[in-house]
Amino acid sequence: MEDNFYSGDIYAFSYFYDIYAEPFHRVEMGFTVGDIEEAYMKTCASVQEESCMNLGFIYHLLKDGYHLPKSRDLKTAKKIRGIETGWCLGAALSILAL
């Protein structure tokens, strides 16, 4: 499973979609951890406090919590086959992939 985490597809749902992917128009093209860092730095420089905190949390969770490199590709989706995604669906998919 660890090999998949570092080299397989990672889909970031729910909070990641709502806070980063949709507002920054990255839904279709995907994004990297470095893209989130860039948005985080720009948002904090423009004194958008709530967005700064949210993007900071997302970036540091991926970089420091999961130790993902800035070049790591991520994907997102609001729905899969017509069913809205969320963190619990992500957890279920992880269990099913075992």
Side-chain angles (χ1 to χ4, degrees), residues 67-97:
H67 305 287
L68 296 177
K70 291 180 185 182
S71 61
R72 183 63 164 101
D73 290 319
L74 302 165
K75 298 177 181 183
T76 191
K78 186 72 170 178
K79 292 183 178 186
I80 297 176
R81 296 185 186 145
I83 298 172
E84 191 159 330
T85 61
W87 71 267
C88 57
L89 177 59
L93 290 174
S94 175
I95 291 168
L96 294 173

Side-chain angles (χ1 to χ4, degrees), residues 44-59:
C44 292
S46 67
V47 194
Q48 297 175 30
E49 291 181 28
E50 186 175 346
S51 293
C52 175
M53 283 185 356
N54 287 327
L55 288 168
F57 173 77
I58 288 171
Y59 171 67

